[in-house]
Amino acid sequence: MAAEWPQLSYEEWAPTCDTLHAHTQLLGKLAVALAPPEPELQHAALRLTARGWETLPLPAPDGSGALVVALDLRRHEAAVEHTDGGAERVALTPDRAVGEVTRGVLDAVRRLGGAVTIDPKPQEVPWTVPLDEDDEHAEYDPSKVASYFAAATQAALALAAFRAPYRGRSTPVNAWWGSFDLAVSLFSGLPADPPSDDFIMRNAMDAQEVAIGWWPGDPRYTKAAFYAYAHPAPPGFETGTLAPAAARWEPALGEYLLDWNDVCGAANPHETALVFAHSAFRYACDACSWDPALTATAEGHPPPVS
């Protein structure tokens, strides 16, 4: 069966996208509340799996085992599962408000694993209504979610293939619920000054890194796209020329972009995504004076398996 690389435009599914984004924030808030803290806030990251967005196993508050909370984008429901076999599900359709789903999931977590409290204030989004009170975001179109999930799956596979040979410290393909994107971060091993004293910046960006990611678009930039940035970026970083030819610097975002439609229109979308990721990484490492031998491992030199 041929791989599906569906077209995706934020403007065409914005209400459903925002609802889904809000649902992922609940999973992220549970990870923040229950997972042991890790450098660069890795404990707060989610994963894109074969069924949708999921937490890693989280310690049950009552010490009874572990919990996984998932957004099942095939069955269109939130799932709370305990390692003892207990499970509860909360439907995302038909058009159930974020507040209703949030309350249902939190109740399920408490019944299966004990008392938990989250900070319900949404993060990195234009809206401010607490998740458990949010009746505004309710539209959920399963067909649009299916298209998003198919696109996100292909993007995640490309990011994983790019990251695989790198011999330095790196992250898995993280699903970030604040910015609703997928990303891998590759680290040089050196510390870096955070760009601000904001809690997220102070804790997430304290090491030299190159990040390659993908997101489905948002109100600032309504096209799905792969992106790349370096931290800290040197003066003139925006002047690079990346491959393929459609890749470009986007001043409003401060990142290099390759629009999703340009990837989907290529003869080999997966290879095109990898060309962008490798081109961006090589350029960023050169501009930021990374160890060339470490940089070369991302290209498989030496190979991870011989």
Side-chain angles (χ1 to χ4, degrees):
M1 181 184 298
E4 183 181 2
W5 290 73
Q7 300 289 327
L8 199 64
S9 168
Y10 173 76
E11 292 175 326
E12 294 177 359
W13 77 301
T16 291
C17 181
D18 290 351
T19 298
L20 183 59
H21 186 177
H23 288 324
T24 69
Q25 298 234 333
L26 170 59
L27 271 61
K29 297 286 188 174
L30 285 165
V32 169
L34 298 176
E38 297 182 37
E40 285 83 48
L41 302 180
Q42 289 298 301
H43 64 289
L46 306 175
R47 301 287 184 268
L48 189 76
T49 71
R51 64 172 169 175
W53 283 58
E54 297 191 31
T55 68
L56 293 174
L58 303 173
D62 61 6
S64 59
L67 295 166
V68 169
V69 187
L71 294 175
D72 190 326
L73 303 186
R74 293 183 285 111
R75 299 177 61 171
H76 304 294
E77 58 190 16
V80 182
E81 299 169 348
H82 194 287
T83 49
D84 66 6
E88 295 192 25
R89 298 181 179 274
V90 178
L92 304 178
T93 57
D95 289 341
R96 300 188 73 192
V98 166
E100 182 180 2
V101 171
T102 296
R103 295 189 296 272
V105 168
L106 290 176
D107 286 345
V109 169
R110 289 161 181 151
R111 283 191 292 269
L112 293 174
V116 64
T117 300
I118 66 166
D119 175 4
K121 181 180 178 180
Q123 293 177 223
E124 301 179 61
V125 292
W127 58 88
T128 59
V129 177
L131 296 171
D132 55 354
E133 300 175 10
D134 186 349
D135 295 327
E136 173 188 353
H137 296 99
E139 185 169 327
Y140 185 98
D141 184 327
S143 66
K144 291 182 170 59
V145 170
S147 293
Y148 157 77
F149 190 26
T153 297
Q154 295 299 340
L157 290 172
L159 293 171
F162 159 70
R163 167 198 171 271
Y166 185 64
R167 288 177 175 261
R169 185 168 73 92
S170 64
T171 70
V173 180
N174 285 326
W176 290 111
W177 45 275
S179 44
F180 197 48
D181 62 330
L182 309 174
V184 292
S185 292
L186 281 59
F187 299 95
S188 71
L190 298 177
D193 292 330
S196 76
D197 198 44
D198 168 83
F199 176 84
I200 293 177
M201 294 295 101
R202 187 175 73 248
N203 289 281
M205 304 190 75
D206 61 354
Q208 189 178 45
E209 68 173 293
V210 175
I212 312 290
W214 176 87
W215 82 100
D218 60 25
R220 302 171 303 155
Y221 190 84
T222 57
K223 301 175 184 179
F226 284 96
Y227 67 81
Y229 67 83
H231 170 71
F237 184 70
E238 71 280 3
T239 61
T241 300
L242 272 55
R248 70 192 191 285
W249 177 259
E250 177 55 47
L253 299 177
E255 298 172 340
Y256 284 96
L257 298 184
L258 177 63
D259 286 342
W260 180 248
N261 289 350
D262 290 322
V263 177
C264 294
N268 188 329
H270 182 82
E271 182 60 28
T272 299
L274 286 178
V275 166
F276 172 74
H278 284 294
S279 174
F281 186 67
R282 284 193 302 269
Y283 169 69
C285 290
D286 182 62
C288 299
S289 301
W290 283 32
D291 178 357
L294 182 61
T295 300
T297 67
E299 307 278 358
H301 308 295
V305 178
S306 60

